[in-house]
């Protein structure tokens, strides 16, 4: 994969590096598995799958510091903007192109809310992304259970690389992830979202 470097930053956080740097679900400062600090990350784009704190993570802080483009579902984007940081909303089935990278938002079978200062905000609907970067199609499913339309994701977008949760309880487990792989038919699969203390989820 000479044109694309993928670094797992623990949990569901990934850094994709090609012509630009794209950061997904940057849960870093509270993540004991993270190999870096938020200050070490200087992405051009951040993609957020949903509003739970182990995915929204350090998005606002990194966005404020770097001025990077932030892409998320409409409701999460509105929350980020309420904190004085610009974000761009989209919705499922849509595609946006940012810095030459195409992001298509897909369905995810999960929940979404934003908890801050004792209040819970509408996090919209959870999502995944198919990302065309560095000549590759990469599917980050977000937090999800397995669902039959993953076959459509495979047929429509033909992701060579799939980043899939295997932790169970809050997402699908290994058994369900194996079925997801059968439906999507990627060439490379990277497991994520596992072995973190339940109190962090």
């Amino acid at each position: 994969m000479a044109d694309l470097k993928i670094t797992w930053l623990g949990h569901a956080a990934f850094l994709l590096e090609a012509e630009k740097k794209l950061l997904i679900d940057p849960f870093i400062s509270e993540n004991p598995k993270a190999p870096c600090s938020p200050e070490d990350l200087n992405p051009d784009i951040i993609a957020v799958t949903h509003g739970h704190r182990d995915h929204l993570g350090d998005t606002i802080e990194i966005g404020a510091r770097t001025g990077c483009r932030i892409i998320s579902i409409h409701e999460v984007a509105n929350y980020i903007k309420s904190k004085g940081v610009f974000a761009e909303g989209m919705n499922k089935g849509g595609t946006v192109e940012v810095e030459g990278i195409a992001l298509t938002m897909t369905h995810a079978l999960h929940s979404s809310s934003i908890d801050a200062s004792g209040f819970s905000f509408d996090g919209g609907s959870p999502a995944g992304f198919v990302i065309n970067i560095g000549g590759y199609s990469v599917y980050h499913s977000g937090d999800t259970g397995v669902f039959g339309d993953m076959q459509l994701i495979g047929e429509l977008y033909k992701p060579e690389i799939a980043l899939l949760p295997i932790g169970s309880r809050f997402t699908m487990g290994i058994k369900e992830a194996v079925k997801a792989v059968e439906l999507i038919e990627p060439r490379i699969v990277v497991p994520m979202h596992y072995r973190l203390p339940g109190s962090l989820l």
Side-chain angles (χ1 to χ4, degrees), residues 51-101:
H52 290 163
R53 72 185 182 100
D54 58 323
H55 294 264
L56 181 61
D58 300 287
T59 296
I60 292 169
E61 293 76 9
I62 295 171
R65 176 174 54 81
T66 66
C68 67
R69 305 275 292 274
I70 300 172
I71 306 295
S72 67
I73 202 153
H74 174 73
E75 291 82 0
V76 173
N78 283 346
Y79 173 77
I80 294 169
K81 286 187 281 188
S82 78
K83 299 301 180 182
V85 177
F86 182 70
E88 301 176 46
M90 64 180 300
N91 221 305
K92 296 177 183 180
T95 300
V96 297
E97 187 168 314
V98 182
E99 305 280 356
I101 298 168

Short mmCIF file of all heavy atoms in Angstrom, two decimals, residues 51-101:
data_model
loop_
_atom_site.label_atom_id
_atom_site.label_comp_id
_atom_site.label_asym_id
_atom_site.label_seq_id
_atom_site.Cartn_x
_atom_site.Cartn_y
_atom_site.Cartn_z
N GLY A 51 -21.85 10.70 17.94
CA GLY A 51 -21.58 11.64 19.02
C GLY A 51 -21.06 11.08 20.32
O GLY A 51 -20.70 11.85 21.21
N HIS A 52 -21.01 9.76 20.49
CA HIS A 52 -20.51 9.21 21.76
C HIS A 52 -19.08 9.68 22.02
O HIS A 52 -18.27 9.79 21.10
CB HIS A 52 -20.57 7.69 21.74
CG HIS A 52 -21.97 7.16 21.78
ND1 HIS A 52 -22.29 5.87 21.43
CD2 HIS A 52 -23.15 7.74 22.17
CE1 HIS A 52 -23.60 5.68 21.58
NE2 HIS A 52 -24.14 6.79 22.02
N ARG A 53 -18.78 9.91 23.29
CA ARG A 53 -17.51 10.56 23.62
C ARG A 53 -16.28 9.73 23.24
O ARG A 53 -15.20 10.29 23.06
CB ARG A 53 -17.45 10.92 25.11
CG ARG A 53 -17.29 9.76 26.08
CD ARG A 53 -17.38 10.28 27.51
NE ARG A 53 -17.19 9.23 28.49
CZ ARG A 53 -16.05 8.99 29.14
NH1 ARG A 53 -15.00 9.72 28.90
NH2 ARG A 53 -15.98 8.00 30.02
N ASP A 54 -16.46 8.40 23.10
CA ASP A 54 -15.31 7.60 22.69
C ASP A 54 -15.14 7.61 21.17
O ASP A 54 -14.33 6.83 20.64
CB ASP A 54 -15.42 6.16 23.22
CG ASP A 54 -16.68 5.43 22.79
OD1 ASP A 54 -17.74 6.08 22.72
OD2 ASP A 54 -16.62 4.22 22.53
N HIS A 55 -15.85 8.52 20.50
CA HIS A 55 -15.69 8.69 19.05
C HIS A 55 -15.52 10.17 18.70
O HIS A 55 -14.60 10.54 17.99
CB HIS A 55 -16.87 8.07 18.30
CG HIS A 55 -16.89 6.58 18.45
ND1 HIS A 55 -16.35 5.73 17.52
CD2 HIS A 55 -17.32 5.80 19.48
CE1 HIS A 55 -16.46 4.49 17.96
NE2 HIS A 55 -17.04 4.51 19.15
N LEU A 56 -16.39 11.02 19.25
CA LEU A 56 -16.20 12.46 19.10
C LEU A 56 -14.88 12.87 19.73
O LEU A 56 -14.12 13.67 19.17
CB LEU A 56 -17.38 13.20 19.74
CG LEU A 56 -17.39 14.72 19.66
CD1 LEU A 56 -17.42 15.19 18.22
CD2 LEU A 56 -18.59 15.27 20.43
N GLY A 57 -14.59 12.30 20.88
CA GLY A 57 -13.27 12.41 21.52
C GLY A 57 -12.72 13.82 21.54
O GLY A 57 -13.34 14.76 22.05
N ASP A 58 -11.53 14.00 20.94
CA ASP A 58 -10.81 15.27 20.96
C ASP A 58 -11.02 16.08 19.68
O ASP A 58 -10.23 16.97 19.36
CB ASP A 58 -9.32 14.99 21.16
CG ASP A 58 -9.03 14.26 22.46
OD1 ASP A 58 -9.14 14.89 23.52
OD2 ASP A 58 -8.73 13.05 22.41
N THR A 59 -12.10 15.79 18.97
CA THR A 59 -12.36 16.48 17.70
C THR A 59 -12.36 17.99 17.84
O THR A 59 -11.72 18.70 17.05
CB THR A 59 -13.71 16.02 17.12
OG1 THR A 59 -13.65 14.63 16.81
CG2 THR A 59 -14.07 16.79 15.87
N ILE A 60 -13.08 18.50 18.82
CA ILE A 60 -13.22 19.95 18.96
C ILE A 60 -11.88 20.60 19.26
O ILE A 60 -11.51 21.62 18.66
CB ILE A 60 -14.28 20.27 20.03
CG1 ILE A 60 -15.67 19.84 19.52
CG2 ILE A 60 -14.27 21.75 20.40
CD1 ILE A 60 -16.76 19.87 20.57
N GLU A 61 -11.12 20.00 20.15
CA GLU A 61 -9.81 20.57 20.51
C GLU A 61 -8.85 20.54 19.32
O GLU A 61 -8.15 21.53 19.05
CB GLU A 61 -9.21 19.80 21.69
CG GLU A 61 -9.97 19.95 23.00
CD GLU A 61 -11.26 19.15 23.09
OE1 GLU A 61 -11.54 18.32 22.20
OE2 GLU A 61 -12.01 19.37 24.06
N ILE A 62 -8.80 19.42 18.61
CA ILE A 62 -7.90 19.32 17.45
C ILE A 62 -8.35 20.26 16.35
O ILE A 62 -7.54 20.94 15.70
CB ILE A 62 -7.84 17.86 16.95
CG1 ILE A 62 -7.21 16.95 18.01
CG2 ILE A 62 -7.03 17.78 15.64
CD1 ILE A 62 -7.30 15.47 17.69
N GLY A 63 -9.66 20.34 16.12
CA GLY A 63 -10.18 21.24 15.10
C GLY A 63 -9.89 22.69 15.41
O GLY A 63 -9.52 23.48 14.51
N ALA A 64 -10.04 23.08 16.67
CA ALA A 64 -9.76 24.47 17.06
C ALA A 64 -8.29 24.81 16.86
O ALA A 64 -7.94 25.92 16.44
CB ALA A 64 -10.17 24.69 18.51
N ARG A 65 -7.42 23.87 17.17
CA ARG A 65 -5.99 24.13 17.06
C ARG A 65 -5.49 24.15 15.63
O ARG A 65 -4.65 24.98 15.26
CB ARG A 65 -5.22 23.07 17.87
CG ARG A 65 -3.69 23.17 17.75
CD ARG A 65 -3.00 22.20 18.68
NE ARG A 65 -3.44 20.84 18.50
CZ ARG A 65 -2.99 20.03 17.53
NH1 ARG A 65 -2.08 20.45 16.66
NH2 ARG A 65 -3.43 18.77 17.46
N THR A 66 -5.99 23.24 14.81
CA THR A 66 -5.44 23.08 13.46
C THR A 66 -6.25 23.77 12.36
O THR A 66 -5.73 24.02 11.28
CB THR A 66 -5.35 21.59 13.08
OG1 THR A 66 -6.68 21.04 13.00
CG2 THR A 66 -4.53 20.82 14.12
N GLY A 67 -7.53 24.06 12.63
CA GLY A 67 -8.38 24.61 11.58
C GLY A 67 -8.72 23.62 10.49
O GLY A 67 -9.11 24.00 9.38
N CYS A 68 -8.60 22.33 10.78
CA CYS A 68 -8.86 21.29 9.78
C CYS A 68 -10.35 21.21 9.46
O CYS A 68 -11.19 21.72 10.20
CB CYS A 68 -8.35 19.94 10.26
SG CYS A 68 -9.25 19.28 11.69
N ARG A 69 -10.69 20.57 8.36
CA ARG A 69 -12.08 20.35 7.98
C ARG A 69 -12.64 19.20 8.81
O ARG A 69 -11.99 18.15 8.94
CB ARG A 69 -12.18 20.00 6.49
CG ARG A 69 -11.53 21.02 5.55
CD ARG A 69 -12.43 22.16 5.19
NE ARG A 69 -13.55 21.78 4.36
CZ ARG A 69 -13.51 21.71 3.03
NH1 ARG A 69 -12.39 21.92 2.36
NH2 ARG A 69 -14.62 21.40 2.35
N ILE A 70 -13.83 19.36 9.36
CA ILE A 70 -14.48 18.33 10.16
C ILE A 70 -15.78 17.93 9.47
O ILE A 70 -16.60 18.79 9.14
CB ILE A 70 -14.78 18.83 11.59
CG1 ILE A 70 -13.47 19.24 12.29
CG2 ILE A 70 -15.50 17.75 12.40
CD1 ILE A 70 -13.68 19.92 13.64
N ILE A 71 -15.94 16.62 9.24
CA ILE A 71 -17.10 16.09 8.56
C ILE A 71 -17.83 15.13 9.49
O ILE A 71 -17.22 14.23 10.08
CB ILE A 71 -16.71 15.32 7.27
CG1 ILE A 71 -15.86 16.20 6.36
CG2 ILE A 71 -17.94 14.80 6.55
CD1 ILE A 71 -16.58 17.41 5.80
N SER A 72 -19.15 15.31 9.62
CA SER A 72 -19.94 14.41 10.46
C SER A 72 -21.39 14.51 10.04
O SER A 72 -21.77 15.34 9.19
CB SER A 72 -19.80 14.78 11.94
OG SER A 72 -20.40 16.05 12.18
N ILE A 73 -22.23 13.69 10.64
CA ILE A 73 -23.66 13.81 10.39
C ILE A 73 -24.14 15.18 10.89
O ILE A 73 -23.53 15.78 11.79
CB ILE A 73 -24.43 12.63 11.02
CG1 ILE A 73 -25.79 12.45 10.34
CG2 ILE A 73 -24.59 12.82 12.53
CD1 ILE A 73 -26.33 11.05 10.40
N HIS A 74 -25.22 15.66 10.32
CA HIS A 74 -25.70 17.03 10.51
C HIS A 74 -25.77 17.44 11.99
O HIS A 74 -25.26 18.50 12.38
CB HIS A 74 -27.08 17.17 9.86
CG HIS A 74 -27.75 18.47 10.10
ND1 HIS A 74 -27.36 19.64 9.48
CD2 HIS A 74 -28.82 18.79 10.89
CE1 HIS A 74 -28.13 20.63 9.88
NE2 HIS A 74 -29.02 20.15 10.73
N GLU A 75 -26.38 16.61 12.83
CA GLU A 75 -26.58 16.99 14.23
C GLU A 75 -25.28 17.11 15.00
O GLU A 75 -25.11 18.00 15.84
CB GLU A 75 -27.52 15.98 14.91
CG GLU A 75 -28.95 16.02 14.43
CD GLU A 75 -29.19 15.26 13.13
OE1 GLU A 75 -28.23 14.68 12.57
OE2 GLU A 75 -30.35 15.24 12.66
N VAL A 76 -24.34 16.22 14.74
CA VAL A 76 -23.03 16.31 15.40
C VAL A 76 -22.29 17.55 14.91
O VAL A 76 -21.64 18.25 15.69
CB VAL A 76 -22.21 15.02 15.17
CG1 VAL A 76 -20.79 15.18 15.69
CG2 VAL A 76 -22.88 13.82 15.84
N ALA A 77 -22.39 17.84 13.62
CA ALA A 77 -21.75 19.05 13.08
C ALA A 77 -22.31 20.30 13.76
O ALA A 77 -21.56 21.23 14.09
CB ALA A 77 -21.95 19.12 11.57
N ASN A 78 -23.63 20.33 13.98
CA ASN A 78 -24.23 21.48 14.66
C ASN A 78 -23.70 21.63 16.08
O ASN A 78 -23.46 22.74 16.56
CB ASN A 78 -25.76 21.35 14.68
CG ASN A 78 -26.38 21.69 13.35
OD1 ASN A 78 -25.74 22.27 12.47
ND2 ASN A 78 -27.64 21.32 13.19
N TYR A 79 -23.52 20.51 16.78
CA TYR A 79 -22.97 20.56 18.13
C TYR A 79 -21.54 21.11 18.10
O TYR A 79 -21.18 21.98 18.90
CB TYR A 79 -22.98 19.17 18.77
CG TYR A 79 -22.26 19.14 20.11
CD1 TYR A 79 -22.87 19.65 21.25
CD2 TYR A 79 -20.98 18.62 20.21
CE1 TYR A 79 -22.21 19.64 22.47
CE2 TYR A 79 -20.31 18.60 21.43
CZ TYR A 79 -20.93 19.12 22.56
OH TYR A 79 -20.26 19.12 23.75
N ILE A 80 -20.72 20.63 17.19
CA ILE A 80 -19.34 21.10 17.08
C ILE A 80 -19.32 22.60 16.80
O ILE A 80 -18.55 23.36 17.42
CB ILE A 80 -18.58 20.31 16.00
CG1 ILE A 80 -18.43 18.84 16.43
CG2 ILE A 80 -17.21 20.93 15.72
CD1 ILE A 80 -17.94 17.92 15.33
N LYS A 81 -20.19 23.04 15.90
CA LYS A 81 -20.24 24.47 15.57
C LYS A 81 -20.69 25.30 16.77
O LYS A 81 -20.25 26.45 16.94
CB LYS A 81 -21.18 24.70 14.38
CG LYS A 81 -20.57 24.26 13.06
CD LYS A 81 -21.42 24.65 11.87
CE LYS A 81 -22.59 23.72 11.67
NZ LYS A 81 -23.31 23.99 10.39
N SER A 82 -21.52 24.72 17.64
CA SER A 82 -21.96 25.44 18.83
C SER A 82 -20.81 25.71 19.79
O SER A 82 -20.91 26.57 20.67
CB SER A 82 -23.07 24.67 19.56
OG SER A 82 -22.55 23.59 20.32
N LYS A 83 -19.72 24.97 19.62
CA LYS A 83 -18.52 25.15 20.45
C LYS A 83 -17.50 26.08 19.79
O LYS A 83 -16.36 26.21 20.25
CB LYS A 83 -17.87 23.78 20.73
CG LYS A 83 -18.76 22.82 21.49
CD LYS A 83 -19.18 23.39 22.83
CE LYS A 83 -20.06 22.43 23.61
NZ LYS A 83 -20.50 23.00 24.91
N GLY A 84 -17.91 26.73 18.70
CA GLY A 84 -17.04 27.71 18.04
C GLY A 84 -16.06 27.13 17.05
O GLY A 84 -15.14 27.82 16.61
N VAL A 85 -16.26 25.86 16.67
CA VAL A 85 -15.38 25.21 15.71
C VAL A 85 -16.21 24.85 14.48
O VAL A 85 -17.28 24.26 14.60
CB VAL A 85 -14.73 23.93 16.31
CG1 VAL A 85 -13.87 23.21 15.28
CG2 VAL A 85 -13.91 24.30 17.54
N PHE A 86 -15.72 25.19 13.30
CA PHE A 86 -16.49 24.94 12.09
C PHE A 86 -16.50 23.46 11.75
O PHE A 86 -15.47 22.77 11.82
CB PHE A 86 -15.92 25.72 10.91
CG PHE A 86 -16.72 25.52 9.65
CD1 PHE A 86 -17.99 26.05 9.54
CD2 PHE A 86 -16.21 24.77 8.61
CE1 PHE A 86 -18.75 25.85 8.39
CE2 PHE A 86 -16.96 24.56 7.46
CZ PHE A 86 -18.23 25.11 7.35
N ALA A 87 -17.67 22.96 11.39
CA ALA A 87 -17.83 21.57 10.95
C ALA A 87 -18.82 21.53 9.81
O ALA A 87 -19.67 22.42 9.68
CB ALA A 87 -18.30 20.69 12.10
N GLU A 88 -18.71 20.52 8.97
CA GLU A 88 -19.58 20.36 7.81
C GLU A 88 -20.45 19.13 7.99
O GLU A 88 -19.95 18.03 8.17
CB GLU A 88 -18.74 20.24 6.54
CG GLU A 88 -17.85 21.44 6.30
CD GLU A 88 -16.95 21.27 5.10
OE1 GLU A 88 -17.44 20.83 4.04
OE2 GLU A 88 -15.75 21.55 5.22
N GLY A 89 -21.75 19.34 7.95
CA GLY A 89 -22.68 18.24 8.11
C GLY A 89 -23.00 17.55 6.79
O GLY A 89 -22.90 18.15 5.72
N MET A 90 -23.39 16.29 6.89
CA MET A 90 -23.86 15.54 5.73
C MET A 90 -24.82 14.47 6.26
O MET A 90 -25.12 14.44 7.46
CB MET A 90 -22.71 14.92 4.94
CG MET A 90 -21.89 13.90 5.70
SD MET A 90 -20.54 13.19 4.71
CE MET A 90 -21.41 12.44 3.33
N ASN A 91 -25.28 13.59 5.38
CA ASN A 91 -26.16 12.53 5.85
C ASN A 91 -25.95 11.26 5.05
O ASN A 91 -25.22 11.24 4.04
CB ASN A 91 -27.63 12.97 5.83
CG ASN A 91 -28.37 12.51 7.07
OD1 ASN A 91 -28.38 11.32 7.39
ND2 ASN A 91 -29.00 13.45 7.78
N LYS A 92 -26.59 10.20 5.50
CA LYS A 92 -26.36 8.87 4.94
C LYS A 92 -26.75 8.80 3.46
O LYS A 92 -27.78 9.33 3.06
CB LYS A 92 -27.15 7.84 5.73
CG LYS A 92 -26.70 7.72 7.17
CD LYS A 92 -27.57 6.74 7.93
CE LYS A 92 -27.13 6.68 9.38
NZ LYS A 92 -27.95 5.75 10.17
N GLY A 93 -25.90 8.15 2.70
CA GLY A 93 -26.11 8.01 1.27
C GLY A 93 -25.48 9.13 0.48
O GLY A 93 -25.32 9.02 -0.74
N GLY A 94 -25.09 10.21 1.17
CA GLY A 94 -24.45 11.33 0.50
C GLY A 94 -22.95 11.18 0.42
O GLY A 94 -22.34 10.42 1.18
N THR A 95 -22.35 11.91 -0.49
CA THR A 95 -20.90 11.94 -0.66
C THR A 95 -20.44 13.38 -0.70
O THR A 95 -21.06 14.23 -1.35
CB THR A 95 -20.48 11.23 -1.96
OG1 THR A 95 -20.91 9.87 -1.93
CG2 THR A 95 -18.96 11.26 -2.15
N VAL A 96 -19.37 13.68 0.02
CA VAL A 96 -18.73 14.98 -0.08
C VAL A 96 -17.27 14.77 -0.45
O VAL A 96 -16.66 13.74 -0.10
CB VAL A 96 -18.83 15.80 1.23
CG1 VAL A 96 -20.28 16.10 1.57
CG2 VAL A 96 -18.15 15.09 2.38
N GLU A 97 -16.71 15.72 -1.18
CA GLU A 97 -15.29 15.67 -1.51
C GLU A 97 -14.58 16.78 -0.75
O GLU A 97 -14.97 17.95 -0.84
CB GLU A 97 -15.07 15.83 -3.01
CG GLU A 97 -13.62 15.59 -3.40
CD GLU A 97 -13.40 15.46 -4.89
OE1 GLU A 97 -14.18 14.72 -5.53
OE2 GLU A 97 -12.46 16.08 -5.40
N VAL A 98 -13.58 16.39 0.00
CA VAL A 98 -12.83 17.33 0.82
C VAL A 98 -11.34 17.14 0.52
O VAL A 98 -10.82 16.03 0.70
CB VAL A 98 -13.10 17.09 2.32
CG1 VAL A 98 -12.34 18.11 3.16
CG2 VAL A 98 -14.58 17.15 2.62
N GLU A 99 -10.70 18.18 0.06
CA GLU A 99 -9.26 18.11 -0.21
C GLU A 99 -8.92 16.95 -1.14
O GLU A 99 -7.88 16.28 -1.00
CB GLU A 99 -8.47 17.97 1.10
CG GLU A 99 -8.76 19.04 2.15
CD GLU A 99 -8.03 20.34 1.89
OE1 GLU A 99 -7.24 20.41 0.93
OE2 GLU A 99 -8.28 21.30 2.63
N GLY A 100 -9.80 16.67 -2.10
CA GLY A 100 -9.56 15.59 -3.06
C GLY A 100 -9.89 14.20 -2.55
O GLY A 100 -9.67 13.22 -3.25
N ILE A 101 -10.43 14.11 -1.34
CA ILE A 101 -10.80 12.83 -0.74
C ILE A 101 -12.32 12.74 -0.69
O ILE A 101 -12.99 13.66 -0.20
CB ILE A 101 -10.21 12.69 0.67
CG1 ILE A 101 -8.67 12.72 0.60
CG2 ILE A 101 -10.69 11.42 1.36
CD1 ILE A 101 -8.01 12.88 1.95
#
